[in-house]
Amino acid sequence: MGKDNTEEGSSDDLDFKRTIRIAVTGDVHLTAAEAAVVDARDFQRLRGVRQLGTVNLLYPTALHTRFDHSLGTLAMADKMVRALAKNMTGADGPPISLEQRKLARMYALLHDIAHVPFGHTFEDEYQLHDRHDRNGARIAHFLGPDSEIGLILRGMESGRFYERLMLIGLWSNDDARVLGGSREDETFIHDLVSEGVCADLLDYLERDSYFCNIGNRLEHRYLDDLRLGSSNADDEYGSRPATRRLFLQMGEGNGDHVKESLGDLLKLLKATLTIAEMALFHPVKLATCAMLFRAYQECHATQRGDAWLYYESDDTVLKELCAWEEESGRNVVDCGSAVGLATLLKYRRLHQLLAVYDEARFATVLGSCGEEDIKGVVEQLRQPEYRRDLENHLAGTIRCRPGNVLLYVPSLTMTMKGGRMNVRWRGEDLTLREVEDRMTARECGLSTSQYKRLWAVRLFVGLEIDEAQGRLLKREFEQCVATLGD
């Protein structure tokens, strides 16, 4: 890769043309191609897409965006690449090339380019649209060969840079097949930016903590343990064995360093849990998500697909939903009309948490402790149209307007992203959460199990619902769930 100066951001082999200063990260240095991508309209739109969606209604300063997160991820990815290059030995295979460093930086910069406003709510939490990284039409729009950014990359970078970048970004996606050709030995770049203890995770943990004032301060001494290694497992296409993957080589060498690295990793897992508890699964945040989604779902029925979101911001989406509610009369208190949920969100008139059904209580209501039984009912409740019909049925049971009863049903497959990191522990290949060391097993297990315990089905109601209606509502919901399990 060539000589790398120790001063942060400086390098002999990259020609930086611009510097952007952002909170948390500091100065982010950009090459000419990176600066051109940042200037593109399709990238500038990320200034209007908040990183944490509706969390600003809980923490008012959580206004950071996917624009600054993308820049921060680039800086962190480059830091990791340089640490990896420094750590490598002959046993790790060929050294990281300048081209691969540039690919890692560009992939980090563009890893969230296909996000739309409130994307995690509309896609992951409520499953109305395909995920941003699995949405073929959206990826083609923002990164296709004739897109604004595609043309920049094809014009300013030489050789197969664009094709290699797309293969890295899509290697775990069926869309990669349409690109043709075989994958380069660059799966580790995808790992470095998007999997386990990756640049994406390391940036958003610190950024979210800072802007929510949660107080997590992380150090990254484990970067000195980053290595590359080959896997003998077939890749998902079955075409050839998987190539070099990123992992942490730990449990050997200097004892003090091992303790420091593991200590930093445990802080990272605890930071993930803290943000989840204090922000992502806080009742206020979940209430806002439930209200926003139901408002969007009602309006979405009049739209075609999600393309209208491509150049919207969080604020304009909420504004358009409020305008639609005004036109349809939903913002008027009328027993015959649905509740204007976006209008209530605008003025922070939030639904209240009525009941929480964790996994144990949910199983009791269901009348079965079978994992497959619970999974089947949860998947049914997560279907957008079924959930909407059930919410309307529940509202009708207590004779209130549609929209006054809302459900939040998270996926049962809740895992801590950092816990998936590949670790070579004293010669054995494990994931971070599998590391069985006396110093870490209890702590790591505690963090991952606590994260899973955040799972619960939550029932929210509007401010006009009284206690008697609430009791009736809970009984009816539990009867509906029990019926689903029959």
Side-chain angles (χ1 to χ4, degrees), residues 355-371:
V356 178
Y357 298 87
D358 62 15
E359 193 165 352
R361 186 181 178 193
F362 191 80
T364 300
V365 170
L366 187 59
S368 170
C369 293
E371 184 177 338

Side-chain angles (χ1 to χ4, degrees), residues 372-390:
E372 288 303 314
D373 294 334
I374 296 173
K375 181 179 178 182
V377 173
V378 168
E379 288 180 351
Q380 180 74 8
L381 291 174
R382 282 177 58 78
Q383 296 301 313
E385 291 305 316
Y386 180 85
R387 183 175 52 247
R388 178 182 182 275
D389 290 343
L390 178 57

Side-chain angles (χ1 to χ4, degrees), residues 21 27 109 190 201 210 250 304 382 443 446 460:
R21 178 167 293 185
D27 287 347
L109 184 65
H190 188 281
L201 175 71
Y210 177 83
M250 305 187 71
R304 289 188 176 183
R382 282 177 58 78
E443 295 273 2
L446 180 63
F460 291 95

